[in-house]
Amino acid sequence: MSPAELHADSIVIDGLIIAKWNRELFEDMRKGGLTMANCTVSVWEGFQATVDSICKSQKLMRENSDLVMPVRTTADIRKAKEIGKTGILFGFQNAHAYEDQIGYVEVFKQLGVGIVQMCYNTQNLVGTGCYERDGGLSGFGREIVAEMNRVGVMCDLSHVGSKTSEEVILESKKPVCYSHCLPSGLKEHPRNKSDEELKFIADHGGFVGVTMFAPFLAKGIDSTIDDYAEAIEYTMNIVGEDAIGIGTDFTQGHGQDFFEYLTHDKGYARRLTSFGKIINPLGIRTVGEFPNLTETLLKRGHSERVVRKIMGENWVNVLKDVWGE
């Protein structure tokens, strides 16, 4: 197959998109041949604000049902591929929306939330984020992990502290993931994961989605799609070809105010980090350029079989396990 044919034939999954929700984004998803995306509907929001966010998201999806459809199961992912739409999975980047109510895990699962990050950069009731001294997984956090396992919600550890991550990996009876991360072996950064951390999650049946967020890449805003491919290869050499996928962290369409919200604790308090200028790698600056990644991986010598795995098949397999299908 040609690169374009392989991309069109493959299941293509982005394990994390936090772009601005509108029809233009959905059109770009279709241009990029995206089969499914884990789309963030909660970061710093509590229960009520997250429910409101989901309501708005559902309305937008109904209004654009010619382009997108909701995803609750891996059968939905395959159906989206079959009918030429992009499946939207709701995800949280913080367990804060669960507040102190274990029952909210199932409530949000019923609303279509299939993946939840345990912490976003800082401390919450579950554990500790990557920008604070790590106190590990709390007793309440262990109950939340158990409930997420029971109802079929994947535990995400991308912005989570090292100790909390290790304890979630050991506590969970289902595979967990870093939905969007990069290796610190290529660049030291609080958000990047060491070779040891990457190996640990893979050795315990976990999964790694590789991001291309410029501040975490070695060359920053000067990065190209080949630099992104290098990070994928570096990670795959550690975790293996069955435990790796894509998690771009696309922030397409957002302005500086959004990044100010993300980089302050609770969205308004102390500054945690400063990203500076953000430009996605040359060659994959928009969701619509996703086919370039398939082409780049093929050019770099990866087989069609491995490229299919990286681009989406591995995500389907691990989600099927977590969701209990």
Side-chain angles (χ1 to χ4, degrees), residues 21-287:
W21 278 68
N22 51 36
R23 183 171 178 85
E24 288 71 29
L25 174 65
F26 296 154
E27 289 172 341
D28 216 30
M29 286 177 168
R30 294 312 312 138
K31 179 183 175 183
L34 209 56
T35 310
M36 190 204 81
N38 164 28
C39 296
T40 301
V41 292
S42 184
V43 181
W44 296 119
E45 294 89 346
F47 176 83
Q48 184 63 59
T50 299
V51 171
D52 293 344
S53 173
I54 290 173
C55 288
K56 290 177 184 175
S57 299
Q58 288 176 328
K59 181 174 184 291
L60 184 64
M61 288 169 63
R62 285 197 306 273
E63 293 169 348
N64 294 277
S65 60
D66 57 319
L67 298 172
V68 296
M69 61 170 277
V71 162
R72 304 290 184 95
T73 65
T74 53
D76 290 337
I77 298 174
R78 298 192 185 282
K79 181 180 179 183
K81 181 67 183 177
E82 181 185 335
I83 65 177
K85 294 183 181 182
T86 297
I88 303 296
L89 171 68
F90 290 155
F92 296 172
Q93 288 210 53
N94 198 341
H96 180 62
Y98 291 153
E99 298 184 354
D100 60 356
Q101 300 296 315
I102 295 170
Y104 288 175
V105 177
E106 186 167 19
V107 169
F108 278 120
K109 171 68 174 182
Q110 292 167 347
L111 292 176
V113 177
I115 181 168
V116 167
Q117 187 167 253
M118 311 311 289
C119 315
Y120 188 76
N121 294 336
T122 60
Q123 184 80 40
N124 63 18
L125 294 178
V126 167
T128 312
C130 61
Y131 285 107
E132 288 192 313
R133 184 178 62 189
D134 195 344
L137 185 66
S138 69
F140 174 72
R142 294 178 194 281
E143 294 181 275
I144 288 290
V145 170
E147 183 68 356
M148 289 172 70
N149 285 175
R150 185 185 75 82
V151 304
V153 179
M154 191 172 206
C155 298
D156 183 2
L157 305 169
S158 302
H159 289 247
V160 178
S162 180
K163 184 178 180 183
T164 300
S165 293
E166 178 183 345
E167 293 181 356
V168 171
I169 292 166
L170 293 174
E171 186 73 20
S172 180
K173 303 298 189 291
K174 298 281 187 74
V176 303
C177 73
Y178 298 125
S179 69
H180 58 300
C181 76
L182 279 165
S184 57
L186 294 178
K187 181 179 181 177
E188 276 295 334
H189 191 284
R191 266 282 283 112
N192 291 350
K193 309 299 179 183
S194 69
D195 291 2
E196 292 75 21
E197 288 173 310
L198 293 170
K199 187 175 188 306
F200 189 80
I201 195 171
D203 286 349
H204 290 80
F207 188 87
V208 180
V210 183
T211 186
M212 57 172 206
F213 193 59
F216 310 151
L217 285 164
K219 296 181 183 175
I221 60 173
D222 296 321
S223 301
T224 69
I225 195 169
D226 275 292
D227 296 310
Y228 182 33
E230 179 190 12
I232 293 169
E233 292 160 356
Y234 183 102
T235 305
M236 185 164 63
N237 284 338
I238 297 171
V239 305
E241 66 179 49
D242 295 320
I244 192 163
I246 304 301
T248 63
D249 208 4
F250 263 116
T251 56
Q252 193 167 320
H254 284 301
Q256 186 58 34
D257 58 335
F258 181 71
F259 294 105
E260 290 297 313
Y261 173 71
L262 291 182
T263 56
H264 284 76
D265 186 25
K266 310 298 184 288
Y268 66 87
R270 71 186 188 281
R271 175 176 286 283
L272 302 167
T273 187
S274 180
F275 292 143
K277 194 173 184 180
I278 297 170
I279 300 175
N280 291 328
L282 181 65
I284 189 164
R285 291 203 163 141
T286 64
V287 180

